Amino acid sequence: VHDPVVDDPVRLRVRCVRGLEWVAADEVRSSLPRAGDLVMANREVSFSLPRLDPALLALRTVDDVFLVVGQVDDVGSTKAAPQALSGRLAGLGWGLARHRIEQLRALPARPGFDVVASLEGRRGFNRFDVEHAVGAATAPLVGGTYLARTSTGRPTGEPDLTVRVFVRGETALAAVRLGRRPLHRRDYKQNTGKGTLHPPLAAALCRLAAPSAGQTLADPFCGDGTIAIEAALAAPGLRVVASDLDADRLASTRRNAELCGVQIDLHRADAGRPGWARAGGPAGVDLVVTNPPWNVSVDGTGSLRESLDPFWGRVVHGLTAGGRLCAITDGSLDAPTALRRRGFQLALATQTRIAGRVSHVLLAAPPGSAGARLPPGPARWRRAALAQGLVTEDGF
Ligand SMILES: C[S@@+](CC[C@H](N)C(=O)[O-])C[C@H]1O[C@@H](n2cnc3c(N)ncnc32)[C@H](O)[C@@H]1O
């Protein structure tokens, strides 16, 4: 008997940070070898699978993952459009989508759900008009209770399901979030301070640095430990050393790592002085993966009050001969120029955009080494993103 829940292929869309869509594509492809028709676009990657797979909920470099319910065209832009749109979206397979999600996680008999719409282009209606119309129209089909959100907020408590409507040009794509919460929210991140890194970006840096068991990875500006924890999760058997000058941030890293159940060696150290790099032994550390202060939300302190230069100098001496530096730095710091001036060889100097600010993402080898290369998987997807014009050599 044909059962569409298990027999028919599904279409997925992941949302990710701008500029690193190719890193997300690489993770999708390697975590889900059966993914087909993979297409990268601005801030998203779409693909199909024979059926939903629990590995989708374990993706770490993406912000969120959605099951596509369907699409309608000729949306229109008049005030009446949301009502007409919701009527047409109601014709899609909402019940089937719910059953599919239930293959991955349990839902209450009558799930509470919200609707989040994003609109591109000028219209005679706003996102709330779409959300209310779609929420009312789909509630009986989803078999749930629509939790209306207004410009002043939304009901308390987390919804069991989130319906997502992407309106672009004349097309509206309807989807349902696979997880209960967006994937970028990590349960371990309970203790956070200023400038803490978006976890999918930390995971992307770790993917580019490609740590392996037996190596030592250091984050000398660990803050709340996002990079250190993502690295420990990505490569069991990796030795992870984290340091910071701020004792409160170190305490946050300790607590977050405990919540996550990973082992991290913690030290209080000034990243512009030699101490932190000694953790790797006399030869140095294999990988430095880090997110230095930007003098925007977090100031450089200690030896780095004036500039990051003392830190770049320390990295030269702190890395093993074949070592690599992978960093995300605020655009205003112009780290690519600072590193090239010091003789680093850059395998990657590109940009990403997060919270409206442009940052550099760098992969570099210290002067005199054989040079750094992107790992083969990300390199392949980067070439594809360059070829389609989604990114350029140094950004987007
Ligand atoms: C952008 S935050 C890092 C955030 C971190 N990636 C996270 O996810 O929480 C920069 C960190 O650098 C630390 N810092 C500033 N000056 C420092 C120095 N001289 N040595 C070591 N850490 C320093 C700050 O205390 C802050 O925690």
Side-chain angles (χ1 to χ4, degrees):
V1 183
H2 178 86
D3 178 355
V5 176
V6 290
D7 294 335
D8 290 351
V10 286
R11 189 96 197 130
L12 285 309
R13 176 178 282 194
V14 303
R15 300 280 291 164
C16 53
V17 294
R18 179 68 182 116
L20 295 180
E21 293 89 351
W22 47 279
V23 181
D26 171 57
E27 189 190 15
V28 166
R29 169 53 99 208
S30 68
S31 312
L32 298 150
R34 301 180 75 188
D37 313 318
L38 202 145
V39 179
M40 290 179 279
N42 185 343
R43 293 201 57 203
E44 67 194 33
V45 178
S46 302
F47 53 98
S48 58
L49 276 177
R51 69 185 60 139
L52 288 188
D53 184 321
L56 286 160
L57 291 176
L59 293 170
R60 302 202 73 85
T61 65
V62 312
D63 285 354
D64 216 347
V65 54
F66 298 96
L67 168 67
V68 174
V69 182
Q71 165 176 326
V72 301
D73 296 320
D74 304 321
V75 172
S77 56
T78 63
K79 252 185 143 30
Q83 209 52 46
L85 171 65
S86 64
R88 294 167 63 213
L89 289 179
L92 302 175
W94 294 98
L96 178 59
R98 175 181 169 166
H99 289 310
R100 284 191 159 128
I101 302 257
E102 285 178 309
Q103 302 286 301
L104 285 191
R105 61 186 178 98
L107 288 175
R110 215 176 154 68
F113 77 99
D114 65 352
V115 181
V116 179
S118 53
L119 312 182
E120 287 178 21
R122 283 172 68 88
R123 324 246 160 206
F125 53 88
N126 64 30
R127 56 182 289 194
F128 302 110
D129 300 328
V130 175
E131 291 172 0
H132 295 328
V134 173
T138 54
L141 308 163
V142 172
T145 305
Y146 169 53
L147 309 171
R149 190 165 62 137
T150 64
S151 52
T152 53
R154 67 178 200 190
T156 48
E158 292 214 2
D160 302 300
L161 273 178
T162 293
V163 166
R164 193 77 165 80
V165 182
F166 301 91
V167 182
R168 237 174 243 168
E170 279 303 300
T171 302
L173 182 122
V176 181
R177 175 178 286 143
L178 277 198
R180 182 155 188 218
R181 304 192 307 159
L183 282 192
H184 67 78
R185 286 210 220 145
R186 306 290 209 252
D187 289 340
Y188 69 75
K189 262 196 108 159
Q190 301 292 332
N191 306 278
T192 57
K194 280 187 181 166
T196 197
L197 192 60
H198 187 57
L201 266 176
L205 296 183
C206 293
R207 207 163 175 87
L208 296 174
S212 51
Q215 291 187 315
T216 299
L217 178 149
D219 179 359
F221 299 103
C222 70
D224 313 312
T226 322
I227 291 173
I229 293 170
E230 293 294 326
L233 291 170
L238 175 74
R239 180 169 173 236
V240 182
V241 185
S243 49
D244 201 290
L245 199 47
D246 182 337
D248 291 340
R249 299 301 287 266
L250 278 174
S252 293
T253 295
R254 180 173 295 112
R255 289 197 294 267
N256 290 337
E258 275 168 14
L259 281 170
C260 193
V262 294
Q263 172 69 41
I264 290 169
D265 292 351
L266 284 168
H267 306 270
R268 182 156 185 258
D270 184 325
R273 301 193 196 283
W276 64 268
R278 290 200 198 111
V285 296
D286 300 293
L287 298 162
V288 170
V289 182
T290 197
N291 166 214
W294 296 352
N295 291 349
V296 177
S297 63
V298 186
D299 289 339
T301 54
S303 70
L304 306 177
R305 244 175 249 284
E306 303 300 325
S307 105
L308 272 184
D309 253 21
F311 168 64
W312 300 132
R314 282 293 141 214
V315 177
V316 174
H317 302 292
L319 283 172
T320 56
R324 292 184 298 282
L325 163 71
C326 190
I328 181 161
T329 53
D330 191 64
S332 61
L333 294 170
D334 194 11
T337 302
L339 288 175
R340 285 196 184 99
R341 203 180 293 134
R342 286 187 172 268
F344 277 86
Q345 301 171 57
L346 271 62
L348 178 73
T350 190
Q351 293 175 329
T352 185
R353 188 184 292 121
I354 181 105
R357 285 192 74 83
V358 170
S359 300
H360 284 116
V361 175
L362 306 154
L363 181 66
S369 68
R373 275 192 186 183
L374 282 176
R380 179 176 151 229
W381 288 102
R382 179 161 166 77
R383 280 194 299 275
L386 285 165
Q388 79 177 68
L390 178 61
V391 296
T392 61
E393 279 296 342
D394 54 7
F396 44 83

